[in-house]
């Protein structure tokens, strides 16, 4: 799956699960300040993304992510590793 | 500043959290739905004998070891309450390739197993060496104020299966090393090596049973709570949790008897699915609610409580485990099959063997849908089909025991059974499991839910937030208390004991 497809899939999942408007889901969006997600949400988010994409992410790295772009990057790394 | 805390459920995790927060000056009230405290520590009497409902094993209890330290720290340790299991053979595993026994001590197990697999001595030593290295890296097990988290994380992220495969050992040795998975009910592919290491270490260093039943530990914990000014209220079935208008906090708890409890903090020691059902889906974040819904449950359990006419050589200081077709590939409720059944047998009277009574307890896995035709509301005690099904499920189990202990079936003098509905009734779990949420990678470590919740003033504790078993549950209580009163000092004081 190319990066754009992955991002689009993640955005649909996050929009549905966290009830966030899809237009707010950009690389620059700050998880806490812009999307209102806290550290507990980070684990919920990780579980939903893993479920949707069928891949395993590093919990600590997800918890340290600041922006949605950081999350996209993590997924890109895992995805290219598994390819 | 002193806070008021209401705790739902009185299992060992709730009781642990209560003592640790009371010690810091908080005011604690525990609400227990049952008429006796203790959760799976509680016992019941049948045929004049005290049977355990769940607790059958206490690990790491010798002086200086983690559970000994923790019980001392809580002020409830009494040496006479416990009895060491047979050091030569604490656990006997009857699996498809034969009978394997575990005994006390690392070295002894290494040499015993190496005798069976002489070509794999190095691999066997490596396995047990890594078990030890892993176990000591957990600061809330071998209590340490400061620790290198990266070591612990390395073990937490590795599966037991992957580790054993990397050793390139034969299947028979693999089967022997995964046999204790029957104890915690998680398949080796789904299981973190780190979690497994704690369980194995706790058993190898010191395996005990209760001399007078788990209920005595529950009583001692409750007595200590009352001594510290806390209260444990029985027959208080929580039916509803009120949420504040802004949706960020829990406001109060309502019980079936109409009583209402307000407090600064709330702690749930019961199954998370059950408590959040009572909070109401409309009050939960959708992302959390759907995650909770996806969490798998561990296998449901059925039980048989038996009086034998003769001991048949069954050692009351040993636990017997049976997985006739091998350790099943799946343990969780959705996929466990009837033919993969595993079970274990223990003695509720560890040392007081009356001449005329030989009681044993059997707990067996049970496929998820087996009892779906009944519910607690409508079930009648004399329901013929329900009772017949319980008996039928034990037929292959008794056949198996008859092979291991010839004459077993003919020696059954009295027997009564429990079903998953019994667990649902006394320790509310969604499917009657004893171990709650399936403790796979997805649900343990940093992925576990709790101790914090999405509500600012609500915490979770219990086996579902960490790991099953007395040790897992009590350490979960310590972690939860640590979030409220600060964990570093507790760990420092435990380390210094």
């Amino acid at each position: 799956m190319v990066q754009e497809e992955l991002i689009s899939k993640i955005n649909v999942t996050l929009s549905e699960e966290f009830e966030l408007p899809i237009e707010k889901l950009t690389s620059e969006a700050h998880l806490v300040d812009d999307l209102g997600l806290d550290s507990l949400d980070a684990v919920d988010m990780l579980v939903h993304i893993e479920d949707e994409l069928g891949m395993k992410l590093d919990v600590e790295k997800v918890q340290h992510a600041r922006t949605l772009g950081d999350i996209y990057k993590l997924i890109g790394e895992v995805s290219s590793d598994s390819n | 500043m002193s806070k008021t805390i209401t705790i739902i459920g009185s299992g060992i995790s709730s009781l642990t959290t209560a003592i640790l927060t009371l010690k810091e000056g908080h005011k604690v009230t525990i609400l227990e739905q049952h008429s006796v405290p203790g959760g799976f520590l509680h016992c019941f009497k049948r045929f004049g004998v005290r049977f355990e409902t769940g607790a059958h094993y206490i690990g790491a209890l010798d002086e200086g070891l983690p559970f000994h330290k923790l019980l001392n720290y809580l002020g409830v340790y009494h040496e006479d309450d416990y009895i060491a299991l047979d050091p030569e053979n604490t656990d006997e595993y009857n699996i498809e390739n034969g009978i394997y026994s575990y005994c006390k001590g690392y070295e002894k197990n290494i040499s015993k197993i190496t005798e069976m697999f002489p070509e794999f001595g190095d691999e066997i030593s490596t396995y047990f060496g890594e078990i030890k290295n892993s176990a000591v890296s957990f600061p809330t097990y071998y209590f340490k104020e400061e620790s290198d988290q990266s070591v612990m994380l390395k073990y937490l992220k590795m599966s037991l299966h992957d580790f054993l495969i990397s050793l390139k050992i034969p299947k028979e040795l693999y089967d022997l090393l995964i046999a204790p998975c029957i104890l915690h009910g998680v398949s080796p592919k789904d299981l973190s090596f780190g979690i497994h290491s704690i369980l194995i270490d706790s058993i190898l260093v010191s395996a005990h049973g209760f001399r007078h039943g788990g209920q005595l530990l529950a009583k001692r914990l409750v007595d200590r709570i009352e001594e510290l000014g806390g209260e444990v209220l029985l027959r208080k079935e929580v039916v509803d949790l009120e949420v504040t208008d802004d949706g960020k906090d829990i406001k109060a708890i309502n019980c079936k008897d109409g009583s209402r409890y307000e407090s600064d903090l709330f702690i749930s020691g019961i199954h998370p699915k059950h408590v959040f059902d009572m909070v109401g889906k409309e009050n939960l974040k959708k992302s959390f609610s759907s995650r909770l819904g996806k969490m798998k449950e561990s296998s449901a359990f059925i039980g048989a409580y038996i009086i034998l006419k003769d001991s048949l050589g069954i050692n009351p200081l040993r636990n017997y485990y049976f997985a006739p077709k091998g350790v099943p590939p799946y343990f969780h409720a959705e996929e466990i099959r009837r033919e993969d059944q595993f079970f274990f047998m223990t003695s509720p009277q560890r040392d007081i063997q009356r001449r005329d009574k030989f009681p044993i307890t059997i707990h067996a896995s049970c496929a998820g849908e087996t009892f779906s035709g009944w519910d607690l509301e409508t079930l009648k005690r004399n329901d013929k089909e329900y009772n017949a099904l319980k008996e039928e499920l034990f037929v292959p189990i008794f056949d198996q025991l008859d092979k291991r202990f010839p004459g077993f079936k003919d020696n059954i003098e009295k027997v009564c059974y429990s079903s998953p509905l019994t667990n649902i009734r006394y320790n509310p779990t969604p499917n009657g499991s004893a171990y709650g949420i399936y403790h796979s990678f997805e649900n343990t470590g940093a992925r576990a839910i709790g101790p914090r919740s999405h509500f600012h003033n609500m915490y979770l504790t219990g086996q579902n937030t960490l790991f099953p078993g007395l040790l897992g549950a009590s350490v979960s209580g310590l972690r939860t208390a640590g979030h409220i009163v600060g964990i570093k000092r507790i760990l420092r004081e435990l380390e210094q004991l």
Side-chain angles (χ1 to χ4, degrees), chain B residues 152-432:
Chain B
M152 176 185 84
L153 289 172
K154 182 189 93 179
Y155 290 113
L156 266 178
K157 288 175 183 172
M158 178 167 73
S159 87
L160 171 62
H161 172 79
D162 287 346
F163 175 74
L164 292 176
I165 290 296
S166 76
L167 292 180
K168 298 188 168 55
I169 52 175
K171 185 181 178 300
E172 289 75 15
L173 178 54
Y174 174 96
D175 286 348
L176 186 158
L177 298 176
I178 66 161
C181 288
I182 299 170
L183 249 172
H184 49 59
V186 185
S187 139
K189 282 185 183 166
D190 296 335
L191 178 65
S192 151
F193 185 88
I195 301 281
H196 177 75
S197 74
I198 294 178
L199 180 111
I200 297 296
D201 180 77
S202 73
I203 288 171
L204 295 188
V205 293
S206 140
H208 283 73
F210 285 110
R211 199 185 287 271
H212 309 291
Q215 63 187 15
L216 182 57
L217 175 58
K219 183 189 178 311
R220 293 202 190 281
L221 289 160
V222 171
D223 287 350
R224 181 78 180 121
I225 286 165
E226 289 173 350
E227 199 179 291
L228 291 165
E231 55 182 356
V232 180
L233 306 179
L234 303 174
R235 296 188 184 87
K236 287 286 179 187
E237 185 181 346
V238 174
V239 289
D240 171 57
L241 283 84
E242 290 176 33
V243 175
T244 54
D245 292 340
D246 64 7
K248 291 181 177 169
D249 288 275
I250 298 295
K251 190 158 77 181
I253 284 176
N254 292 301
C255 292
K256 201 174 182 178
D257 64 5
S259 52
R260 183 172 181 273
Y261 295 87
E262 287 186 9
S263 57
D264 299 320
L265 303 178
F266 296 88
I267 299 171
S268 167
I270 61 173
H271 197 294
K273 287 182 185 171
H274 185 48
V275 80
F276 287 115
D277 260 357
M278 295 192 287
V279 169
K281 208 172 177 181
E282 68 282 5
N283 291 314
L284 299 178
K285 288 190 174 189
K286 188 186 171 208
S287 52
F288 176 70
S289 171
S290 65
R291 180 185 161 203
L292 196 61
K294 284 184 207 164
M295 287 181 133
K296 288 173 181 162
E297 290 298 310
S298 56
S299 167
F301 271 84
I302 48 176
Y305 308 90
I306 299 169
I307 304 288
L308 292 173
K309 290 179 208 158
D310 188 277
S311 78
L312 300 171
I314 296 168
N315 184 345
L317 294 175
R318 187 174 303 156
N319 298 315
Y320 297 86
Y321 305 84
F322 295 80
K325 298 207 171 151
V327 174
Y330 299 107
F331 277 104
H332 53 76
E334 289 163 35
E335 295 187 53
I336 192 139
R337 299 171 306 171
R338 198 159 161 176
E339 56 268 34
D340 288 330
Q341 193 170 52
F342 60 95
F343 58 97
F344 58 92
M345 181 174 83
T346 58
S347 172
Q349 280 185 349
R350 292 290 192 185
D351 70 330
I352 315 156
Q353 284 287 319
R354 294 185 194 174
R355 278 166 191 258
D356 60 336
K357 279 184 180 160
F358 300 96
I360 54 158
T361 302
I362 300 166
H363 283 117
S365 65
C366 172
E369 297 301 304
T370 315
F371 285 87
S372 58
W374 291 272
D375 65 69
L376 280 175
E377 299 294 319
T378 54
L379 179 67
K380 292 202 170 62
R381 194 177 276 268
N382 57 359
D383 187 312
K384 277 187 188 161
E385 274 183 57
Y386 172 73
N387 290 327
L389 178 56
K390 287 194 288 185
E391 279 183 36
E392 184 197 323
L393 290 170
F394 273 95
V395 169
I397 294 173
F398 291 167
D399 285 344
Q400 198 66 37
L401 286 168
D402 215 49
K403 282 186 205 158
R404 174 65 187 84
F405 302 102
F408 182 88
K409 286 195 281 190
D410 290 340
N411 267 284
I412 296 175
E413 185 182 312
K414 289 170 185 165
V415 56
C416 67
Y417 302 97
S418 68
S419 82
L421 292 175
T422 320
N423 272 342
I424 295 172
R425 167 70 187 85
Y426 292 108
N427 295 293
T429 55
N431 70 328

Side-chain angles (χ1 to χ4, degrees), chain B residues 60-70 132 142-143 205-206:
Chain B
L61 196 66
D62 282 0
E63 193 167 353
L65 293 176
F67 209 32
H68 187 275
K69 280 189 173 190
L70 183 55
K132 190 78 211 175
Y142 277 97
F143 305 113
V205 293
S206 140

Side-chain angles (χ1 to χ4, degrees), chain A residues 16-19 36 38-41 43-44 46-48 50-51 56-60 63, chain B residues 153 157 284-288 290-291 294 441-442 446-450 452-456:
Chain A
E16 279 173 9
E17 294 292 349
F18 290 88
E19 298 171 303
D38 60 23
S39 58
L40 286 176
D41 290 319
V43 184
D44 293 345
L46 163 124
V47 171
H48 289 303
E50 287 184 341
D51 223 41
K56 285 275 168 250
L57 300 173
D58 189 300
V59 187
E60 288 74 34
Q63 283 174 324
Chain B
L153 289 172
K157 288 175 183 172
L284 299 178
K285 288 190 174 189
K286 188 186 171 208
S287 52
F288 176 70
S290 65
R291 180 185 161 203
K294 284 184 207 164
F441 276 112
E442 283 79 11
R447 286 175 165 81
I449 46 173
R452 290 190 302 139
S453 81
H454 285 288
F455 296 99
H456 296 155

Side-chain angles (χ1 to χ4, degrees), chain A residues 3 8 13 16 19 22 24 40 52 64 70 74 76:
Chain A
Q3 184 75 353
S8 149
T13 302
E16 279 173 9
E19 298 171 303
I22 201 126
K24 281 182 88 173
L40 286 176
E52 183 61 35
H64 283 115
D70 294 340
L74 281 175

